[in-house]
Amino acid sequence: VIEGRRGGGVEVEDVIIAEEGKTLEVNIIIERESKGRTCLSLPREEMVEDIKGEEVKDLSGKTDWAVFDGRHLESALVYARRVKEQGGKVVVEAELRSRSHSIKIEMEHLMGLADYVVMGEDFLTEFYDGKTPKDRCERWKNTIGGPKKWLIVTRGDKGSYLYYTTLLESPAFYIDPDSIVDSTGAGDCFLGCLVAFLAKGVGVSEALQAANWAGMMQ
């Protein structure tokens, strides 16, 4: 896997690999007519265990941008703090692998360290009450606290919206429904494009428009 990434021009010097670890590989088979999806992956018992916070080692150099999601939250909190100490930017994709209260609290701590938070509209609606999207964003901001941060809320084929002190909608790009094979990877393309544009110094609203396009065209 690492050699494949290196061959594609990806910097892999700071990739962490356990000495006896196994890499999860998932193959997705899509049936065009029924839109059925079959996922083939390694058995669960062969997957690598979560990395614990105390196992996280120092970063080898300054990290300008770091992206975290709902996995390995204990380790993510350790790394996010170190990135912030170095003056780097933190992006958090808010999602929960479990609905337990303790996991939600850890995710909120991680979001508190972020400069940018990306979440689905269903996540925002489930956990932060409000009559309107702006009300829910305000509730989220008051819950998370800390320095002001950008909140990007994705809405699937309806586009996305951006919240800082006001709410700005970013519409989706039209795509012929008959040309859509499957939505697998759309969220990853959205997030990857967003961070890539932000890292190049593009304004957040322009980066969001580019991410909408990438998510639709993946």
Side-chain angles (χ1 to χ4, degrees):
V1 172
I2 293 298
E3 288 305 316
R5 297 292 183 269
R6 183 180 287 113
V10 177
E11 295 182 7
V12 295
E13 287 71 20
D14 290 324
V15 174
I16 300 172
I17 308 171
E19 292 183 0
E20 304 272 329
K22 292 185 172 67
T23 299
L24 174 64
E25 179 176 348
V26 179
N27 297 285
I28 302 173
I29 302 171
I30 301 166
E31 207 286 313
R32 286 180 177 270
E33 292 185 5
S34 68
K35 306 295 184 182
R37 181 189 304 180
T38 303
C39 298
L40 303 177
S41 63
L42 290 174
R44 178 69 192 178
E45 59 269 17
E46 292 188 21
M47 292 175 62
V48 65
E49 295 181 357
D50 285 357
I51 303 172
K52 301 300 181 183
E54 63 270 15
E55 297 173 341
V56 177
K57 298 181 179 179
D58 290 334
L59 300 173
S60 60
K62 183 179 183 298
T63 300
D64 295 316
W65 289 83
V67 183
F68 304 95
D69 59 16
R71 291 170 289 188
H72 310 294
L73 282 172
E74 183 181 342
S75 301
L77 283 164
V78 174
Y79 266 123
R81 291 188 185 102
R82 292 180 184 176
V83 171
K84 296 299 292 181
E85 289 169 0
Q86 294 176 345
K89 299 291 186 181
V90 170
V91 181
V92 172
E93 182 182 16
E95 57 182 6
L96 297 181
R97 304 288 166 166
S98 165
R99 285 302 191 261
S100 73
H101 180 70
S102 61
I103 295 295
K104 178 177 177 290
I105 294 301
E106 281 191 325
M107 173 54 74
E108 289 182 337
H109 287 164
L110 184 60
M111 287 192 285
L113 295 169
D115 298 279
Y116 302 85
V117 175
V118 180
M119 68 174 64
E121 190 172 42
D122 54 348
F123 186 101
L124 182 67
T125 302
E126 179 178 355
F127 293 109
Y128 304 100
D129 295 334
K131 293 182 178 180
T132 67
K134 185 177 180 180
D135 290 342
R136 289 188 282 272
C137 290
E138 289 282 352
R139 179 65 180 272
W140 169 83
K141 180 182 73 173
N142 293 334
T143 301
I144 299 305
K148 289 183 178 179
K149 55 189 91 278
W150 294 94
L151 174 62
I152 296 101
V153 180
T154 59
R155 306 175 66 210
D157 60 4
K158 297 181 179 64
S160 56
Y161 54 84
L162 176 68
Y163 178 80
Y164 189 69
T165 54
T166 59
L167 192 145
L168 174 66
E169 292 196 30
S170 182
F173 288 83
Y174 174 78
I175 185 171
D176 183 358
D178 293 333
S179 68
I180 299 174
V181 177
D182 191 74
S183 60
T184 300
D188 293 325
C189 288
F190 176 94
L191 183 60
C193 181
L194 177 73
V195 176
F197 272 69
L198 291 173
K200 289 181 178 294
V202 176
V204 64
S205 59
E206 292 83 1
L208 184 57
Q209 292 176 357
N212 281 339
W213 181 87
M216 291 294 290
M217 299 302 293
Q218 57 87 28

